[in-house]
Every structure is written in C-alpha cells, then in structure tokens.
Amino acid sequence: AVQGCERVTIDEDYAANVDAIDDTVGIAVLRPATPLAHNSVASLQMVSPRLKAEVAVAGFSYGGVLGSPTLTFGELADVRGLDGDAQLKRLALAPLEGDAGGPVVDGFGAVLGMLLPDGANDRQLPDGVSFAANSDALTRLLQQAGVAPKASDTSIPVPPDTLAKVATGITVLVSCWD
C-alpha cells in the first residue's frame, strides 16, 4: 500500500520511512524519521487461536476524522487464507477501508495479525470476509527490519474497555501522499 507514495506520514504530522516490505503478503514496516514516544507496545500472539474466537480490528475507519481509532468486532473464521495460504487469517467482520493496516487483536489484547485491504486478492468476496497477515508474517518482516517483536505471555482475557485501550494504544494513522 505504501509503494506508490512519495511521502508517508504517521498521525499526519510525522514523516516515516519504509524500512521493509513483503510484497507477497502486502505488508510494510514503517519507521518514524525522528524518534517518537510510543503510547504502547504491541504483543504478538504466537499461539494459534481457536476458530470462531472473537477478534477486534483497530483502525481509522473514517480516515482520521474522529481523531482516534475505532474498533470493529468479528471473529476468526480460519487460520489460513481461502487457498490455504498459511501467512493469512480469514476473518468474519466488516471493516471499512480506513481500517486496513490496523492490528487484529484477540480477547487477551494480543495482536493476531494486521488487517489487509479489501481487494488485496483481486476477487470480489462476500460481505464480511476479510483477511489479515498473521503474526508469523509480521514477525519475519519486523526481524528483517531489525525490530525484535514482543511475544504475548498472557492467557487471561481482558475486559472490553481494557481491550479498547490496548488496541487504540498500538494503532496510528498512516497517510500516503502522492
């Protein structure tokens, strides 16, 4: 999504550089041009969750108009893509375009993956079918960019208000400027 951008920003005000790209999955690692203090650090879920588990996507559904991320809830439909791609997870939820690139979190607050844009597979799918790059794909790309991902070590479910705080704390608005 960032390959065609002349300039990429985080939260509209901070320039970012593209450190690594995985074209096969459709994800990228961005690094702020100047160091920023982070709100929170994401923990990646390294254990495969159960099917039908509730998940949430944090994203800027309305392109930043609201000033903070919104959560879209759904469930994990499959731990693979439709063609058996092990780097993807299939989700049953209905995100908006601005949610693409947002973290997909489980009920423990751990990141299962990153929501991919609709149409990433060049097919018209039924409503409510979405895909996320899984945590293994994210881990590989982060390590390639020199970032050591943090693995989740919790097995205690978090209440919805805590989940919302965790998810919004690890989500930033990324803008592509032509």
Side-chain angles (χ1 to χ4, degrees), residues 43-142:
S43 296
L44 298 180
Q45 181 58 265
M46 301 313 223
V47 178
S48 190
R50 65 178 175 77
L51 294 180
K52 306 293 183 190
E54 187 172 293
V55 297
V57 173
F60 285 86
S61 306
Y62 304 100
V65 171
L66 297 177
S68 65
T70 58
L71 292 181
T72 302
F73 291 90
E75 65 182 32
L76 177 66
D78 201 339
V79 294
R80 297 183 179 271
L82 291 173
D83 60 358
D85 188 341
Q87 297 185 94
L88 300 179
K89 292 191 184 310
R90 182 166 51 93
L91 309 174
L93 55 82
L96 297 176
E97 184 179 338
D99 296 325
V104 179
V105 295
D106 64 12
F108 307 101
V111 175
L112 298 176
M114 185 187 83
L115 186 70
L116 298 174
D118 283 345
N121 59 10
D122 297 324
R123 296 188 192 278
Q124 181 64 41
L125 296 171
D127 289 340
V129 176
S130 298
F131 295 94
N134 70 19
S135 58
D136 291 339
L138 297 177
T139 297
R140 278 190 301 277
L141 193 60
L142 287 167

Side-chain angles (χ1 to χ4, degrees), residues 3 7 21 57 76 86-87 90 120 122 130 148 152 162 166 170:
Q3 286 182 324
R7 186 170 62 99
I21 293 179
V57 173
L76 177 66
Q87 297 185 94
R90 182 166 51 93
D122 297 324
S130 298
S152 174
T162 302
V166 169
I170 60 173

